[in-house]
Amino acid sequence: MADVLNLELNSSEPLLKVSGLTVRHLGAEHERTIFSNVDLSVARGETIGIVGESGSGKSMLTKAIMRMLPPYMAHEGRIELDGQEITNLSLRKVHQLRGDQMTLLFQDPFTMLNPVLSAGEHILEALRANKKFRKEISKQESKKIVLERLSEVGIHDAAVAGRFPFQLSGGMRQRIALATALARNPKLLIADEPSTALDNTTQAEILALLKNVQQSRQMGLILVTHDLRVAFSVCDRIYVLYAGSILEVGPSVELEKAPLHPYTHGLLLSEPPIDRRIEVLTSIPGSVPSFDNVLGKCAFAPRCNWQTQVCLDSTPQLRNVGERHVSSCLRLQEIKSELIVDRTGRKTADSPFVNLSTQSALPSITPVLRIQSLKKTFINSQNRKVEAVQNVSLEIAPGECVALVGESGSGKTTLGRCIVGLEVPTSGSIELDGLEATNYNSISRESRAALRKKAQIVFQDPYSSLDPRQTVADCLSEVMQVNGEGKDSRNSRIDALLKHVGLPESYRVRLPESLSGGERQRVAIARALAVEPKLIICDEAVSALDVSVQAQILSLLRKIQKEMGISLLFITHDLAVVRQIADRAYVMKNGLVVESGLVDDVLSRPQNEFTQKLLSSVPSSASQLAEKDQTLLLKKDKDK
Amino acid sequence: MTLTLRSRVSKLRDVPGSVLVASLIIIIICFAAVAAQFISPFNPMEQDLLAVSLKPTSSHWLGSDELGRDVFSRLIAGSRGAIIGPFLIAFSGLVVSAILGIFAGYRGGSIDNLIMRGVDFIVALPGLLLTIVVVSVTHGGYWMALLVLGVLNVQGDIRIVRGVSLEQRKLPYIEALRVVGVPRWRIMYKHIVPNIYPILIANFATDFAGALVALSGLSFLGLGSQPGTPDWGRMLSDGQPSLFTNYWAALSPGITIVLLAVSVNLIGDWVYDFYSKKSLQR
């Protein structure tokens, strides 16, 4: 373990030094280990990333460092902040450290701020926690300080200080939260998924801001994220956390170019590239286990392609594999070359379905979906009209996958909900496979039932899209029952459906709570397939999933589209996903389609300014940019 | 891997002690209510003027009251009314609120308006006063008291159930069911009911305890049960004049009322916590 501790940038005392940290969840029934034996260090002015999928224990790690673990969690090990040991410091003393020495920035900008305090009051509140400040600083001065803090996070409009959270956008709130966290000049900032809940363009701004503030203050920064791309764009060094163990630590440049652990490698490959379509999407089979399930062996072994008996015999230790680079893989020397082959040998798929491009080219086919100048107006709580969708026309041919891209508030979800009758459009028309589907409420029961068999929807959040009290089989069976299917055929079709979405038959009796996010999403897809629709609307269907699982679901959707000829309307904000799955794309902004066309055209040669902005805000590090340029050059050569 | 209470509570030590004690109390009281004739040592109505206002003895475990009736036997006889009345009130509250509350919450619009204005009307009534007036004017006794308390009680339940149904309605799984074509009634009663079950249980428990206290209060005031019937509330008021000389006769029904009410609440709380914790740990 001593190797890890030697990783600091300079030989001087690190700002934060964590050694042998273990956190356990205490419980009456059984104790669970969240993570174990974690060593970590942050030098002054250094940015480290903690990367891990959900369930890896990364959030608990930050809470343990901040000494903010809930009472039913116990920690052991050693945490030193700026030379002072804080592992077992009394909570009162820790409280004084928080804000002054270290501070935490949370993910959700919508719940992180107190709704009854204005932006300025938030910052003031943080300042006032310091006794000295309360005594010595006058009201006038404190106002000035608040404005200073705001301008540091890029808010130069003094009026913002008087606004309340609900009057601010997500990005603005995150800025306010950052200003609040930085109010008392802490030496260490821990940011827990600070950009995940934000739109791509805002995300890029917040990340740039974080990096900026960190550099100008020479502060230590720990960025916790599930997104390797985000980590690469900001961090100096990256810790890869998986099922409660650190698997690899290394400089982010090296980690990106040549990861030396199969998990990091798999994670990198699962991240779909934005610039080309991969023929066979790589994913890591299965899902993240809990620490106790992989006790006594390599945590990643059950999902690893290179697993052998050695990996199952003992818990591997981190070992030096390069300068300031450690990995826990036992078989690294043997498989190193295979990792490289695996990384470079991926085939790029041809641009899909060029001949199916537009409706005008094939006038004889009835489109699965035809939307004409659709409008949807909401009345908001202040009794003002909000035009969520203004005048959108869209068509989907049979067997085609069309992406609807846009940021939150662009109206893309509303459009999807109108198609399946969850919203009634204000004006315009929707036709599903030749049937009128504009207003589900105004048509007869029979025609409504017919429409249900045309279009189905899969939602974003796999945790709330299944009835928690219904087994998988009951869920699928009910769908078929209400569509008038007999008991025998239902039974046999449940098996077929499960097989189709890649779940074993034994899952029939499972309840959602015992399924992972990816498995739940498979069940949700099976439920949609149960009515044999012509079109499935995927409303951010893979956005809430871990990267390694995301690719599994994308491959499944590709397979469904290809083998069953079902059209997909893929609603998403993620351009890389669009590249992997869609044939055509529509880009929406403020309820209007600003650009549409073949995916290749939209993503490689965007015409609209907004599309260009979206594309440029996808987090990418320097080397990725270079690669992008190269492929563009290659393409140009080909064109010539 | 199932959510049923039975499979989770496989070991009694998983259940907190207070809940075990509460269950024991309720089991004992229910047993007394069922087997009253067989276990009571004396006829609860029989007056023995030679054994008036006795302290607890080996034959009269809780002593006797001013008319020489055995307090213990009267407690046992009174347990039936103490369980049936509150149970009926709480159960009707459960059923009516499950039907109307979910309907109002899920359907919304004018149906919601209609139901909720009805609820508002009941809220506007001065509850206890109305009960006293109606019961005394109609001479309806115990059953009339049940009816009036039942109607008054249901408004709170409907509001709570409507609130949680509104919450459920917005969840993607309900929307997915709508898109798949599951009929409305089926969504309401096959999907929403099981998912708001903890709330219904908790409502039932608070209603039960509230109704027990309210019914006993009415009996204490001389309304509700007929004079002479062994009713806990009436025993309390009968024993009140001799509270300082023969306190067992007044205290024992008082204590049983408190014990039963607290026990039911404890169990309701625990069941609610149990299910909510489960749903939080997704």
Side-chain angles (χ1 to χ4, degrees):
Chain A
M1 280 302 174
D3 304 332
V4 192
L5 299 179
N6 291 332
L7 291 174
E8 297 127 30
L9 266 181
N10 32 40
S11 52
S12 72
E13 180 93 335
L15 178 61
L16 176 79
K17 193 162 143 186
V18 173
S19 37
L21 189 65
T22 299
V23 165
R24 287 200 183 85
H25 184 291
L26 309 171
E29 287 165 44
H30 57 283
E31 237 182 60
R32 285 184 293 131
T33 307
I34 306 295
F35 59 82
S36 163
N37 223 354
V38 168
D39 293 338
L40 184 147
S41 70
V42 185
R44 280 158 226 281
E46 189 190 23
T47 303
I48 67 156
I50 298 176
V51 176
E53 297 179 274
S54 56
S56 61
K58 56 188 192 303
S59 282
M60 278 303 151
L61 178 57
T62 62
K63 285 207 169 127
I65 293 172
M66 288 294 288
R67 293 285 316 278
M68 282 174 73
L69 287 176
Y72 49 82
M73 299 265 191
H75 69 284
E76 56 191 66
R78 203 177 155 83
I79 309 165
E80 274 171 67
L81 181 69
D82 208 8
Q84 184 191 7
E85 186 177 347
I86 61 166
T87 326
N88 293 309
L89 214 59
S90 75
L91 282 180
R92 218 172 119 191
K93 287 198 177 136
V94 171
H95 194 80
Q96 287 166 356
L97 290 180
R98 291 187 200 138
D100 279 338
Q101 301 279 325
M102 55 179 177
T103 184
L104 186 57
L105 183 65
F106 290 103
Q107 168 177 2
D108 189 354
F110 299 95
T111 54
M112 192 165 42
L113 300 178
N114 183 344
V116 297
L117 288 188
S118 71
E121 280 168 327
H122 272 98
I123 299 169
L124 215 56
E125 193 69 12
L127 287 168
R128 271 200 220 110
N130 188 318
K131 245 188 209 158
K132 217 166 135 197
F133 181 88
R134 274 201 307 266
K135 280 188 192 142
E136 293 171 11
I137 310 283
S138 72
K139 251 189 183 168
Q140 292 282 311
E141 278 173 274
S142 62
K143 212 173 236 175
K144 226 176 87 193
I145 296 177
V146 166
L147 292 184
E148 266 173 39
R149 296 287 185 245
L150 283 178
S151 69
E152 191 185 11
V153 294
I155 300 174
H156 302 290
D157 181 4
V160 174
R163 294 218 184 108
F164 288 91
F166 69 90
Q167 294 168 312
L168 301 169
S169 68
M172 284 293 254
R173 288 185 220 199
Q174 197 60 287
R175 281 166 197 264
I176 303 290
L178 181 62
T180 310
L182 295 176
R184 279 185 283 149
N185 302 318
K187 293 173 188 152
L188 175 68
L189 171 68
I190 303 176
D192 189 355
E193 303 265 13
S195 60
T196 310
L198 303 172
D199 283 327
N200 264 349
T201 48
T202 332
Q203 179 181 37
E205 285 167 25
I206 290 289
L207 288 176
L209 175 68
L210 264 177
K211 187 80 199 155
N212 235 327
V213 169
Q214 182 265 333
Q215 272 169 354
S216 65
R217 290 181 164 224
Q218 275 303 299
M219 152 181 88
L221 173 64
I222 300 180
L223 182 78
V224 179
T225 179
H226 69 280
D227 193 339
L228 272 170
R229 280 183 294 192
V230 167
F232 288 145
S233 69
V234 178
C235 304
D236 302 324
R237 277 190 310 131
I238 290 173
Y239 287 74
V240 180
L241 193 63
Y242 178 81
S245 318
I246 288 187
L247 295 188
E248 188 175 2
V249 186
S252 59
V253 190
E254 264 181 58
L255 224 61
E256 184 181 9
K257 250 192 302 183
L260 291 177
H261 194 285
Y263 174 62
T264 323
H265 169 83
L267 212 54
L268 260 177
L269 286 189
S270 310
E271 196 85 65
I274 191 166
D275 50 353
R276 63 209 159 104
R277 194 180 177 109
I278 301 293
E279 198 171 68
V280 182
L281 284 172
T282 323
S283 62
I284 308 175
S287 52
V288 184
S290 69
F291 180 84
D292 294 316
N293 282 344
V294 288
L295 201 64
K297 54 185 168 193
C298 170
F300 187 58
R303 296 173 74 190
C304 184
N305 288 337
W306 291 278
Q307 178 236 86
T308 58
Q309 194 52 42
V310 191
C311 310
L312 301 172
D313 286 342
S314 65
T315 314
Q317 302 291 315
L318 289 171
R319 285 177 303 179
N320 259 335
V321 289
E323 202 189 333
R324 308 201 297 121
H325 196 154
V326 294
S327 161
S328 76
C329 184
L330 290 166
R331 302 192 60 215
L332 187 61
Q333 293 312 322
E334 303 158 54
I335 64 173
K336 214 170 183 174
S337 54
E338 286 178 52
L339 288 181
I340 296 171
V341 172
D342 210 30
R343 214 161 36 243
T344 48
R346 291 209 291 180
K347 273 190 202 153
T348 302
D350 294 331
S351 300
F353 303 109
V354 182
N355 49 350
L356 248 172
S357 59
T358 47
Q359 181 56 29
S360 54
L362 297 159
S364 54
I365 298 175
T366 329
V368 171
L369 173 71
R370 175 184 277 151
I371 295 177
Q372 276 170 333
S373 47
L374 192 82
K375 271 187 196 157
K376 173 70 190 174
T377 314
F378 288 108
I379 308 284
N380 72 3
S381 51
Q382 280 131 38
N383 242 337
R384 233 174 282 153
K385 275 187 182 177
V386 180
E387 297 195 359
V389 179
Q390 347 178 10
N391 203 6
V392 169
S393 300
L394 185 152
E395 271 179 14
I396 299 178
E400 195 186 20
C401 177
V402 172
L404 196 56
V405 192
E407 306 204 298
S408 56
S410 62
K412 58 189 195 304
T413 292
T414 308
L415 188 69
R417 292 169 61 86
C418 284
I419 299 168
V420 291
L422 288 171
E423 305 284 354
V424 178
T426 314
S427 69
S429 75
I430 302 173
E431 247 177 64
L432 278 172
D433 203 19
L435 297 178
E436 166 66 27
T438 314
N439 187 345
Y440 279 62
N441 294 342
S442 67
I443 52 179
S444 71
R445 181 177 295 205
E446 288 73 30
S447 28
R448 200 156 51 218
L451 282 179
R452 299 290 184 211
K453 294 194 176 180
K454 299 294 181 200
Q456 282 301 316
I457 189 163
V458 175
F459 292 101
Q460 170 173 13
D461 181 9
Y463 293 96
S464 57
S465 62
L466 298 175
D467 185 341
R469 313 247 162 195
Q470 214 176 19
T471 62
V472 171
D474 285 347
C475 169
L476 298 178
S477 171
E478 178 174 31
V479 176
M480 293 179 229
Q481 193 193 340
V482 298
N483 285 297
E485 234 172 281
K487 203 165 189 183
D488 297 331
S489 84
R490 277 190 337 233
N491 238 328
S492 57
R493 267 196 62 210
I494 290 174
D495 290 339
L497 279 172
L498 285 180
K499 201 174 154 204
H500 229 104
V501 297
L503 291 176
E505 247 175 66
S506 60
Y507 273 49
R508 290 176 68 122
V509 293
R510 295 275 202 107
L511 280 173
E513 65 160 5
S514 67
L515 304 178
S516 69
E519 288 166 343
R520 289 178 207 218
Q521 210 61 317
R522 285 176 196 266
V523 177
I525 292 170
R527 176 176 59 195
L529 289 176
V531 301
E532 299 174 316
K534 293 268 168 66
L535 168 72
I536 295 181
I537 295 161
C538 302
D539 188 357
E540 300 274 13
V542 295
S543 314
L545 301 174
D546 285 325
V547 201
S548 68
V549 179
Q550 186 180 34
Q552 294 171 10
I553 301 297
L554 278 180
S555 308
L556 172 65
L557 288 169
R558 267 190 184 178
K559 189 184 98 181
I560 286 170
Q561 183 207 0
K562 218 185 228 166
E563 290 176 6
M564 306 174 80
I566 293 175
S567 308
L568 298 176
L569 176 60
F570 213 89
I571 300 174
T572 185
H573 68 281
D574 190 338
L575 295 171
V577 165
V578 171
R579 173 72 89 174
Q580 297 314 316
I581 194 160
D583 307 323
R584 284 190 301 128
Y586 289 80
V587 182
M588 272 184 87
K589 190 197 177 191
N590 296 336
L592 285 167
V593 172
V594 292
E595 183 163 2
S596 68
L598 292 175
V599 163
D600 228 22
D601 295 333
V602 174
L603 295 188
S604 303
R605 294 170 285 277
Q607 303 300 313
N608 187 279
E609 207 180 308
F610 176 71
T611 320
Q612 287 162 2
K613 191 179 160 206
L614 267 185
L615 272 163
S616 65
S617 59
V618 174
S620 56
S621 58
S623 58
Q624 246 179 339
L625 283 175
E627 199 181 311
K628 208 187 275 178
D629 286 347
Q630 211 153 32
T631 41
L632 273 179
L633 281 177
L634 281 176
K635 215 167 256 165
K636 269 180 199 157
D637 285 348
K638 239 190 231 168
D639 290 348
K640 276 175 196 168
Chain B
M1 287 297 189
T2 56
L3 270 172
T4 59
L5 196 58
R6 202 187 306 153
S7 66
R8 294 278 188 178
V9 190
S10 49
K11 282 167 258 148
L12 273 184
R13 64 185 168 88
D14 293 347
V15 183
S18 58
V19 174
L20 285 182
V21 173
S23 321
L24 198 67
I25 290 172
I26 290 181
I27 290 172
I28 291 173
I29 293 176
C30 285
F31 176 72
V34 173
Q37 290 102 313
F38 309 108
I39 57 168
S40 62
F42 293 89
N43 181 346
M45 308 291 280
E46 197 179 54
Q47 305 180 1
D48 182 355
L49 295 176
L50 294 174
V52 172
S53 297
L54 285 183
K55 294 238 152 61
T57 63
S58 55
S59 57
H60 295 280
W61 289 2
L62 291 172
S64 63
D65 65 6
E66 287 185 307
L67 295 171
R69 294 174 295 196
D70 180 44
V71 173
F72 184 59
S73 302
R74 286 179 73 73
L75 267 190
I76 291 176
S79 58
R80 201 169 283 181
I83 293 214
I84 292 176
F87 179 84
L88 286 178
I89 291 177
F91 188 73
S92 63
L94 179 105
V95 172
V96 173
S97 69
I99 294 172
L100 292 183
I102 293 176
F103 213 65
Y106 185 77
R107 289 293 299 274
S110 51
I111 289 176
D112 181 25
N113 249 326
L114 193 74
I115 294 173
M116 293 323 284
R117 294 304 76 78
V119 166
D120 287 348
F121 174 73
I122 299 179
V123 175
L125 299 173
L128 192 61
L129 192 68
L130 186 86
T131 320
I132 294 171
V133 170
V134 170
V135 175
S136 54
V137 165
T138 58
H139 300 290
Y142 185 71
W143 296 103
M144 181 52 87
L146 281 192
L147 182 71
V148 177
L149 285 178
V151 170
L152 289 174
N153 164 63
V154 87
Q155 50 87 10
D157 292 355
I158 293 183
R159 287 181 164 215
I160 293 170
V161 172
R162 171 181 177 266
V164 288
S165 309
L166 270 176
E167 232 167 72
Q168 293 286 323
R169 186 198 146 85
K170 287 184 217 133
L171 291 178
Y173 84 90
I174 297 284
E175 294 195 324
L177 289 167
R178 283 169 63 194
V179 172
V180 155
V182 178
R184 268 198 297 244
W185 61 268
R186 201 183 157 103
I187 292 180
M188 285 188 247
Y189 298 109
K190 281 244 160 169
H191 295 277
I192 294 185
V193 168
N195 280 293
I196 62 168
Y197 188 57
I199 302 278
L200 295 179
I201 298 273
N203 272 348
F204 181 86
T206 32
D207 285 357
F208 187 96
L212 174 66
V213 172
L215 274 174
S216 305
L218 282 179
S219 300
F220 184 84
L221 295 176
L223 300 160
S225 60
Q226 296 302 311
T229 43
D231 177 285
W232 293 354
R234 197 166 269 281
M235 284 168 73
L236 200 59
S237 68
D238 288 349
Q240 191 200 10
S242 54
L243 184 61
F244 294 102
T245 51
N246 183 23
Y247 48 84
W248 281 102
L251 270 189
S252 39
I255 290 172
T256 33
I257 291 172
V258 171
L259 276 182
L260 180 56
V262 170
S263 301
V264 171
N265 263 337
L266 270 177
I267 291 180
D269 268 3
W270 176 70
V271 172
Y272 176 72
D273 280 353
F274 182 86
Y275 278 116
S276 326
K277 230 184 278 163
K278 284 295 156 241
S279 51
L280 277 178
Q281 281 177 6
R282 31 179 231 195

